[in-house]
Amino acid sequence: MDDEADDHLISEAEKIAVALGRMFPGLCEVVLHDLRDPQHAIRAIENNLSGRQVGDSATELGLARIQDPHYPSVIQNYPNQFPDGRPAKSTSIGIKNAAGEYIAALCLNLDVSVLSPVTLALANLVATDTEYREQPLETLQDRNARELRQTVEAHAAERAATPRSLSREDKRALVRQLQRDGYFASRDAAQTIADLLGVSRATVYNYAK
């Protein structure tokens, strides 16, 4: 009866292995090990990236679980390597039966070498020219009064002060930063800043010079 229950559990795990492998074709190898037969442990292998076959033996992790029921159930995101040298990121999930014995392991091996060029391409895609980093050419969002107020208050809070209690030099630096960030493009921005800092509108324009 126990053997039948174990067989059923492993059959259900095989469905998961197949589904996961087919979700990430060419990218993630998924292997189900039947630890009841360590010499012929591989029960299923989807998206084969390592060159192993059904019926091949268990790995070191599988053997460790067979020997120790207290071995960690999940070992996640550890560095690994395929036989041809490609780097991999692996996760191994031990599966216990009702008696608390490891009878199977579901292993995922992600081919990191495939993702590295993608990562580089994305970094190049989002990069901006250094020539324009200091002075933005435009702002892509509306600088409304609420956002302006939040920015001024956050600046003051970083200095353990309120906007009105900032020193003259801090107020001058803040106004210049607001100008660089495009806040002065908003209508009535200068008056809003003046009210927040407790100075006149003319003083705000003077600070911005």
Side-chain angles (χ1 to χ4, degrees):
M1 184 65 179
D2 290 341
D3 288 342
E4 290 182 6
D6 291 353
D7 287 339
H8 177 73
L9 190 59
I10 291 177
S11 294
E12 292 299 301
E14 187 171 358
K15 295 178 185 178
I16 298 173
V18 172
L20 285 174
R22 293 179 181 177
M23 187 173 180
F24 303 104
L27 187 62
C28 185
E29 176 184 80
V30 184
V31 185
L32 177 64
H33 298 270
D34 184 342
L35 300 182
R36 298 174 301 176
D37 185 6
Q39 295 302 316
H40 307 90
I42 294 183
R43 167 76 173 257
I45 183 165
E46 285 291 323
N47 216 14
N48 194 332
L49 299 175
S50 63
R52 292 174 293 172
Q53 303 295 327
V54 171
D56 283 355
S57 60
T59 64
E60 293 85 350
L61 281 181
L63 296 176
R65 285 198 172 103
I66 293 171
Q67 296 170 4
D68 182 6
H70 299 294
Y71 198 84
S73 296
V74 178
I75 302 179
Q76 194 156 19
N77 297 334
Y78 59 91
N80 213 336
Q81 191 177 61
F82 291 113
D84 60 4
R86 284 174 297 163
K89 183 172 77 170
S90 298
T91 290
S92 177
I93 306 166
I95 299 172
K96 290 183 176 180
N97 60 12
E101 302 167 334
Y102 281 116
I103 61 168
L106 184 63
C107 301
L108 295 82
N109 303 307
L110 184 68
D111 187 351
V112 180
S113 69
V114 175
L115 297 178
S116 296
V118 176
T119 302
L120 179 60
L122 288 175
N124 290 333
L125 183 64
V126 302
T128 57
D129 288 340
T130 55
E131 179 182 356
Y132 304 111
R133 286 180 184 169
E134 294 300 320
Q135 181 66 36
L137 299 182
E138 62 179 348
T139 178
L140 299 181
Q141 63 181 31
D142 180 33
R143 301 296 191 182
N144 57 36
R146 177 183 298 178
E147 183 187 357
L148 179 56
R149 184 176 296 104
Q150 290 174 343
T151 301
V152 171
E153 290 175 349
H155 180 91
E158 290 174 358
R159 290 156 181 76
T162 64
R164 287 173 175 260
S165 68
L166 287 170
S167 69
R168 179 180 299 177
E169 289 307 311
D170 280 340
K171 289 179 180 179
R172 185 189 304 273
L174 173 57
V175 169
R176 290 180 176 177
Q177 183 63 51
L178 292 172
Q179 184 183 44
R180 287 194 296 270
D181 290 345
Y183 283 96
F184 276 75
S186 298
R187 186 179 63 181
D188 299 329
Q191 187 60 56
T192 301
I193 295 170
D195 293 342
L196 288 169
L197 297 182
V199 298
S200 68
R201 184 172 179 177
T203 299
V204 169
Y205 282 120
N206 184 53
Y207 284 166
K209 292 180 181 179

